[in-house]
Amino acid sequence: GAGVSQSPSNKVTEKGKDVELRCDPISGHTALYWYRQSLGQGLEFLIYFQGNSAPDKSGLPSDRFSAERTGGSVSTLTIQRTQQEDSAVYLCASSLLALNTEAFFGQGTRLTVV
Amino acid sequence: TQLLEQSPQFLSIQEGENLTVYCNSSSVFSSLQWYRQEPGEGPVLLVTVVTGGEVKKLKRLTFQFGDARKDSSLHITAAQPGDTGLYLCAGEGGNQFYFGTGTSLTVIP
């Protein structure tokens, strides 16, 4: 597609339920990033993919968070047993190569855990 | 760990005024980027600065990278309501970009 696409744009879920967030990067971009943005906060790094592998998972806040990327394209971020503190905007970005190139962001998924 | 500190956190000015936003760190970055984010959207890259002391201009926006590559500033001349948004700096390090906390700018017509 023309840009990074994220779905859903909004998600309201009950505490304890699992959610899956999807990111469709720009075609041909090998690097993909997930960030989390809480109200009034900057962007918190979650995970980075180069192709299908994730050399850096250091930002995942707990073992309830996992992510995968298949075919060097679409990525899903899964949050299990959601908690209220997981409420945030989850942003995905892709870039042609790893760093040193412009990262293009999707519009984000606003997750609300009630 | 917040590697990049931005100031001010909030800024509200009248149309036509000038302003400067600062991004400071104790770490050295190989490059630093500035983004602008509007409500409900993802950040959009404005500029990347790479060389210490580098100055880049984008219309009414002037970006400077500190000589030691630890800090940067964004200066806006004659601000317009369309400049309203969240301005984020990001430094490249390891496998990620480290983002600052952001400066929320409101330009009042």
Side-chain angles (χ1 to χ4, degrees), chain A residues 4-80:
Chain A
V4 177
S5 177
Q6 290 188 247
S7 60
S9 55
N10 281 285
K11 176 72 177 179
V12 179
T13 189
E14 291 181 352
K15 178 181 172 181
K17 294 282 179 71
D18 298 351
V19 294
E20 215 172 69
L21 312 181
R22 176 187 168 107
C23 173
D24 213 328
I26 293 173
S27 178
H29 280 196
T30 62
L32 186 146
Y33 309 84
W34 283 98
Y35 286 86
R36 179 168 72 174
Q37 186 174 32
S38 301
L39 189 63
Q41 300 294 315
L43 274 66
E44 175 190 1
F45 170 77
L46 298 178
I47 190 169
Y48 154 67
F49 285 94
Q50 180 60 38
N52 289 337
S53 65
D56 192 345
K57 303 180 181 179
S58 63
L60 294 178
S62 77
D63 58 9
R64 295 186 295 105
F65 287 71
S66 63
E68 64 175 16
R69 188 180 186 194
T70 56
S73 181
V74 173
S75 175
T76 54
L77 176 68
T78 302
I79 309 173
Q80 296 178 308

Side-chain angles (χ1 to χ4, degrees), chain B residues 53-81:
Chain B
E54 181 177 4
V55 176
K56 280 192 174 178
K57 291 193 175 184
L58 185 65
K59 296 183 180 177
R60 293 175 294 100
L61 278 60
T62 302
F63 304 86
Q64 184 162 10
F65 201 12
D67 290 341
R69 290 185 288 129
K70 292 183 179 181
D71 54 82
S72 181
S73 64
L74 159 60
H75 182 80
I76 301 179
T77 303
Q80 299 178 1

Side-chain angles (χ1 to χ4, degrees), chain B residues 30-48:
Chain B
S30 55
S31 70
L32 196 140
Q33 300 183 331
W34 282 94
Y35 290 81
R36 186 172 81 190
Q37 184 179 21
E38 298 188 20
E41 302 292 329
V44 175
L45 181 68
L46 296 174
V47 77
T48 300

